[in-house]
Amino acid sequence: MEELVLKSTVKVAQMDELTEEERHLVTLAIEGTNRSYAPYSHFHVGAAILLKDGTTVIGCNQENAAFPSGICAERSAIFAAGAQYPDQPVKMLAIAARNENGELQEDPVSPCGPCRQVIIETETRFKQPVRILLYGKKHVFIVDGIRQLMPLSFTEF
C-alpha cells in the first residue's frame, strides 16, 4: 500500500502587505458583510470578486427559514458574476465575516464544501486558478487556487 501525501500552501499576510488591488477587494468583501441577511446563524459573510476585465462583484450570505434555500456569500458573488458577465474569468475572490456581535472575525474563515466545489467549477470553466483572500483582523490567508484548500476534486483543468 502506498501513502499519498497532499500539501497545501497558504500564505499569511497583514493587510499592509497586500497589493492595492487586493486591499480594495478585501474592503469590498468587508462591505458585503453589512449586506448579509443572517437572522438564523447571525454569521454575516461577504465576498467580493475581481473579474479579469477589472469588474468587481459583491456577494453576501442570504439565509432563509426554509433551509437550505439560502446561499453563501461566495456562491452569491460567483453566480451573480456568471449571470452578468458570463465570459469574464474570475481573477480573485476575497471573503470576510462578522460574528453575532457585528465584529469582524479575528481569524480568516474559509469557504464551505459546496462553495469550494463551485470555485473549482469556476477554475475549470475558465482554465485558470482563482486567487483567494481570506480576511481576518489578525491576518489574511492568501491561497493561489482552490485546489490548495481542496486538493482532490471531481474535475481538473
Side-chain angles (χ1 to χ4, degrees):
M1 177 183 318
E2 277 187 58
E3 184 175 296
L4 176 62
V5 177
L6 303 173
K7 288 178 59 175
S8 293
T9 301
V10 177
K11 297 174 189 145
V12 181
Q14 299 302 312
M15 277 290 280
D16 63 358
E17 296 177 294
L18 302 178
T19 67
E20 184 177 332
E21 182 177 66
E22 291 168 335
R23 282 192 306 273
H24 178 67
L25 202 63
V26 167
T27 300
L28 291 177
I30 291 169
E31 180 184 316
T33 67
N34 294 319
R35 301 176 185 186
S36 163
Y37 179 69
Y40 307 103
S41 72
H42 308 286
F43 191 69
H44 300 271
V45 182
I49 289 178
L50 175 65
L51 301 177
K52 186 176 181 180
D53 71 354
T55 301
T56 56
V57 178
I58 296 175
C60 58
N61 60 321
Q62 298 291 310
E63 295 180 352
N64 191 291
F67 183 82
S69 296
I71 191 166
C72 297
E74 300 91 314
R75 284 182 282 152
S76 83
I78 290 170
F79 293 157
Q84 297 173 52
Y85 311 98
D87 298 325
Q88 282 300 311
V90 176
K91 178 179 174 183
M92 196 172 354
L93 165 67
I95 304 166
R98 293 183 187 275
N99 63 26
E100 64 276 357
N101 298 323
E103 300 165 351
L104 288 167
Q105 291 291 111
E106 290 290 322
D107 292 305
V109 296
S110 66
C112 69
C115 286
R116 290 177 189 212
Q117 189 59 48
V118 167
I119 297 167
I120 285 173
E121 188 71 25
T122 301
E123 289 185 348
T124 302
R125 176 181 180 183
F126 293 108
K127 295 179 178 35
Q128 66 181 50
V130 174
R131 185 172 179 91
I132 302 168
L133 309 171
L134 306 174
Y135 173 81
K137 287 190 333 188
K138 289 196 285 190
H139 42 251
V140 178
F141 290 165
I142 302 168
V143 182
D144 288 321
I146 192 63
R147 285 170 177 81
Q148 293 297 320
L149 298 178
M150 193 170 164
L152 300 175
S153 64
F154 295 121
T155 60
E156 293 293 328
F157 67 86

